[in-house]
Amino acid sequence: MSHNIHLIAAARPNFMKIAPLYHALNSQQWCKVSIIHTGQHYDANMSDDIFADLMLPEPHFHLGVGGGTHAEQVGKVMMAYEDICLNIERPDLLIVVGDVNSTAACAQVAAKLHIKVAHLEAGLRSGDRLMPEEINRLVTDAICDYLWTPSPDADENLKNEGHPDSRIIRVGNIMMDSYELLSAKIDDEHAPAKYGLENEDYGVVTLHRPSNVDDPEILKTIMDGLVENSQKIKLIFAVHPRTRKSLEQYNLWNELQNNKNLILIEPISYVPFMSLVKSAKLIITDSGGIQEETTYLDIPCLTLRDNTERPITITEGTNKLLKPGALSGYVDQILEGDWVHGTKPENWDGKTAIRIRDIIYGLFNN
Ligand code: UD1
């Protein structure tokens, strides 16, 4: 008997998490796996291009919810996904990944329809409820049947919240599976050359957190820091749509464009982006996934946030949390070679999808 499994893909950081799992499950006779794209991210360079890089098929179902307020997004996703479960295809297992609005929305739909639901990347906590993602993490973990974690700190968080051991399984970090799956393509991509950065030292910048980009004063402080540091090392900045909107709204965009050492580009797909990251001297970001990828690749990462839900990237990896004003001093240190190399955390080994596949097989057969 073939079991139906739904995988939810919603926003850019989800796609690298579902791809290895889709490939591991799609090759199996005992299950039928479908991708449900909620449409939270919809631009080609935030979605379709990344699907293509990750060798994912067209989503089996597309909910097309688009942007909106948090409540609008969550509400629209819940209604559309519930319709699929009730009227088109009820899954035997739903897998949600990460911490975006669609993760919590679809988990709620499944839990209320008594569909078993697993959360991949469970247990991460920043302790900061001002982040929408923290709310999504708490809600999702509270109602999921299976909590698949990437690291020991995540296990501890879940235990401290009273989740029984029987629900928690440490599976490792699925992001590394995507990297390993595509590492040959990433090596062949030579993205730095495409941006005129061949044989040059450079840093890569990404910023999109509302706490950094929505407030004009904070945004201006960060941009001033980037401009200052771009005089020491060229910076290539892949500008997220939310960030671009803010930069234009607060009249910062034109000034940035005139700086030859700060290369502004549109968001780019997974393979070229990882090709840029892989050869970079340093990364400046507020992303969650990039904190992990830089730890895996042993590249110094300066994270412009007060906290992280991924503390292992600090204790074992190359990550450093910074206030925007402290950027310059740390960039100097890195350029002088004064930074601490990390180690790869346990089970960040490219085999997480296979471990999960075996766990799911066990669930259906025991
Ligand atoms: C979402 C996730 C965040 C994740 C991030 C990665 C939540 C609460 N936030 O934030 O956890 O780190 O994705 O990018 O789920 N937009 C476009 N084109 C797109 C996508 C978005 O123009 O393809 C615009 C939206 O219309 C909106 C803004 O960008 O104005 C923000 O998009 P949204 O999906 O609401 O949140 P993100 O900031 O991307």
Side-chain angles (χ1 to χ4, degrees):
M1 179 186 157
S2 183
H3 300 275
N4 279 336
I5 300 176
H6 283 182
L7 279 178
I8 302 295
R12 185 172 58 176
N14 296 157
F15 307 148
M16 336 24 184
K17 292 170 195 160
I18 65 149
L21 208 46
Y22 175 79
H23 295 303
L25 293 171
N26 192 42
S27 58
Q28 305 298 300
Q29 298 295 322
W30 51 268
C31 66
K32 175 176 158 282
V33 57
S34 304
I35 297 175
I36 294 53
H37 193 323
T38 66
Q40 191 175 334
H41 281 177
Y42 44 85
D43 288 350
N45 58 7
M46 298 289 281
S47 180
D48 297 6
D49 298 352
I50 306 177
F51 260 60
D53 266 8
L54 295 164
M55 300 176 290
L56 288 169
E58 288 276 306
H60 302 81
F61 301 99
H62 205 300
L63 309 185
V65 298
T69 67
H70 287 274
E72 278 168 348
Q73 239 173 17
V74 170
K76 283 195 241 167
V77 171
M78 285 187 73
M79 287 167 70
Y81 184 56
E82 186 183 55
D83 183 47
I84 288 182
C85 293
L86 288 177
N87 300 316
I88 304 175
E89 181 180 274
R90 181 185 166 99
D92 300 297
L93 175 69
L94 167 68
I95 303 175
V96 295
V97 301
D99 56 16
V100 303
N101 285 341
S102 305
T103 307
C106 292
Q108 282 188 73
V109 170
K112 287 179 176 165
L113 293 176
H114 305 173
I115 293 166
K116 294 285 182 199
V117 49
H119 183 204
L120 173 55
E121 203 184 80
L124 297 187
R125 298 287 181 269
S126 65
D128 176 2
R129 292 198 183 189
L130 295 176
M131 278 180 84
E133 292 82 0
E134 185 75 351
I135 309 292
N136 292 336
R137 292 177 199 120
L138 287 160
V139 168
T140 305
D141 288 342
I143 57 177
C144 278
D145 300 280
Y146 310 113
L147 300 169
W148 295 333
T149 67
S151 49
D153 54 284
D155 300 11
E156 279 310 302
N157 292 333
L158 293 170
K159 286 178 193 169
N160 291 340
E161 288 170 15
H163 294 281
D165 285 358
S166 56
R167 284 203 192 148
I168 306 167
I169 303 184
R170 175 117 46 88
V171 293
N173 192 323
I174 193 95
M175 298 273 285
M176 308 315 145
D177 290 37
S178 277
Y179 185 82
E180 291 304 332
L181 191 69
L182 291 166
S183 66
K185 277 195 190 170
I186 292 168
D187 288 345
D188 286 346
E189 178 74 15
H190 303 294
K194 294 182 184 159
Y195 295 104
L197 292 166
E198 208 175 15
N199 306 321
E200 272 209 68
D201 285 347
Y202 65 89
V204 176
V205 182
T206 80
L207 295 163
H208 72 280
R209 294 274 159 224
S211 57
N212 279 333
V213 308
D214 287 1
D215 178 287
E217 268 183 48
I218 297 174
L219 185 63
K220 172 93 172 69
T221 307
I222 295 176
M223 291 309 125
D224 287 348
L226 294 183
V227 168
E228 182 191 339
N229 285 288
S230 71
Q231 303 309 308
K232 305 172 195 162
I233 180 168
K234 275 196 178 164
L235 296 176
I236 180 160
F237 181 6
V239 186
H240 186 281
R242 172 190 283 279
T243 311
R244 169 92 183 240
K245 264 187 211 164
S246 268
L247 288 170
E248 287 176 344
Q249 185 182 349
Y250 301 126
N251 298 320
L252 297 166
W253 181 251
N254 289 342
E255 195 185 323
L256 290 182
Q257 274 191 318
N258 293 334
N259 178 348
K260 287 201 176 58
N261 291 332
L262 185 60
I263 304 162
L264 301 177
I265 59 171
E266 302 256 320
I268 53 173
S269 188
Y270 180 73
V271 168
F273 186 73
M274 291 315 298
S275 166
L276 275 181
V277 167
K278 191 171 177 249
S279 301
K281 275 267 172 247
L282 60 94
I283 310 294
I284 300 169
T285 192
D286 56 13
S287 148
I290 297 172
Q291 297 172 47
E292 298 178 333
E293 287 159 340
T294 45
T295 277
Y296 191 67
L297 296 171
D298 200 28
I299 294 167
C301 182
L302 300 176
T303 300
L304 298 180
R305 286 176 48 184
D306 293 335
N307 47 54
T308 179
E309 61 290 335
R310 294 164 162 90
I312 201 165
T313 60
I314 298 175
T315 52
E316 294 188 24
T318 56
N319 190 21
K320 176 91 196 151
L321 297 182
L322 287 186
K323 295 258 184 241
L327 192 59
S328 205
Y330 282 98
V331 169
D332 291 343
Q333 277 188 23
I334 292 168
L335 296 182
E336 285 158 18
D338 180 15
W339 59 279
V340 182
H341 291 264
T343 51
K344 286 179 186 167
E346 198 191 339
N347 279 351
W348 291 25
D349 57 1
K351 298 185 179 125
T352 293
I354 298 300
R355 282 190 283 273
I356 296 175
R357 183 196 68 194
D358 294 346
I359 291 167
I360 299 174
Y361 184 81
L363 290 175
F364 286 140
N365 288 285
N366 288 331

